[in-house]
Structure formats: C-alpha cells, structure tokens
Amino acid sequence: MRHTYLKNVVTLTLNANKCIGCGMCLNVCPHKVFGLNSGKAWISDRDRCMECGACVRNCPVEALAVKAGVGCAAAIIQGKLKGTAPCCGGSEGNKSSCCG
C-alpha cells in the first residue's frame, strides 16, 4: 500500500538544472518520492514526501529543498514524544488533516 500524506502541501522542490543524476535522493528517501530519468532526478510522487529532509542533507549539489520538520515526520516524532496522535497539518483537532 502506498501511503499519501496531505495533497499538494509538501514544501519539497527540485532544481533539475543543478541535478547531476547521482541518485542519492533515491537511495535515502524512505517513501520512494524520486525517480531517475535521462540522468536527472525527478519527483515521481510528491504527496508521499514526509518532509524528513534526508534527500536535502544528502544531495551533493544542493538541487533539493524542503522545510524539514514541518510535515508528517515532525508530527509523528512529536506525537511519540507527547503521547498524542500525530497530526500532519492544521490543528490537532482538525481530523481531516491528521494522519491515521
């Protein structure tokens, strides 16, 4: 099953002009957000990104950007620490924007 977080809210961006096609983003992404085509990475499923920042930290040419810690990864971590259900946007009372 392919998990999708919230539609069209991910901060992930890719500058294809900077990409050297090393494939590091494919190797480190836990949700297989990236693909490689004609020697360049591309975002194959943007809505699966949990904004963990692994791709950005491992890109040798800074072709990727994401506001790590604002998405579901941060919500899951905070939920575990606080003993609450993770919420991936909006307020915790807004069930439509919570993971689950």
Side-chain angles (χ1 to χ4, degrees), residues 40-52:
K40 297 282 186 175
W42 62 285
I43 299 172
S44 62
D45 196 345
R46 192 170 185 269
D47 291 329
R48 294 196 68 214
C49 177
M50 62 186 225
E51 297 178 314
C52 67

Side-chain angles (χ1 to χ4, degrees), residues 42-88:
W42 62 285
I43 299 172
S44 62
D45 196 345
R46 192 170 185 269
D47 291 329
R48 294 196 68 214
C49 177
M50 62 186 225
E51 297 178 314
C52 67
C55 59
V56 174
R57 286 189 302 276
N58 288 280
C59 180
V61 294
E62 300 179 352
L64 293 157
V66 71
K67 291 182 183 174
V70 298
C72 281
I76 291 167
I77 291 167
Q78 288 300 315
K80 291 287 185 186
L81 292 173
K82 294 178 181 178
T84 60
C87 184
C88 302

